[in-house]
Amino acid sequence: MIARLFLDHPRSLGMSWASHGWGAVAIGFRMIGAGLACLIHALVPAWYTETAGRTITDLHAYMLRRRSSAPDPHSWPDYEI
């Protein structure tokens, strides 16, 4: 049960629990930041006009780089998290 909850998914990607966790935290904080920028942009349209789109583009490129450097890139899903 413990392995299924905490280890199976990271291992399937060739990662440790810690490295997978730090990556998820980093991606999550970037997504939260972009979401906050969208909410502020809704109130003041002149602010954060490109933040969300640039964040999505950057995160997509980051995930593609991570997949391409994985031990078995074909075992990675088309998306993460």
Side-chain angles (χ1 to χ4, degrees), residues 65-81:
R65 284 192 307 275
R66 282 181 42 170
R67 178 175 31 184
S68 68
S69 66
D72 182 11
H74 300 293
S75 70
W76 278 48
D78 289 336
Y79 56 88
E80 293 184 60
I81 302 181

Side-chain angles (χ1 to χ4, degrees), residues 22-39:
W22 280 116
V25 167
I27 290 170
F29 274 121
R30 296 215 36 212
M31 291 172 66
I32 289 169
L36 291 173
C38 284
L39 294 173

Side-chain angles (χ1 to χ4, degrees), residues 14-24 66:
M15 302 171 80
S16 69
W17 175 85
S19 65
H20 180 272
W22 280 116
R66 282 181 42 170

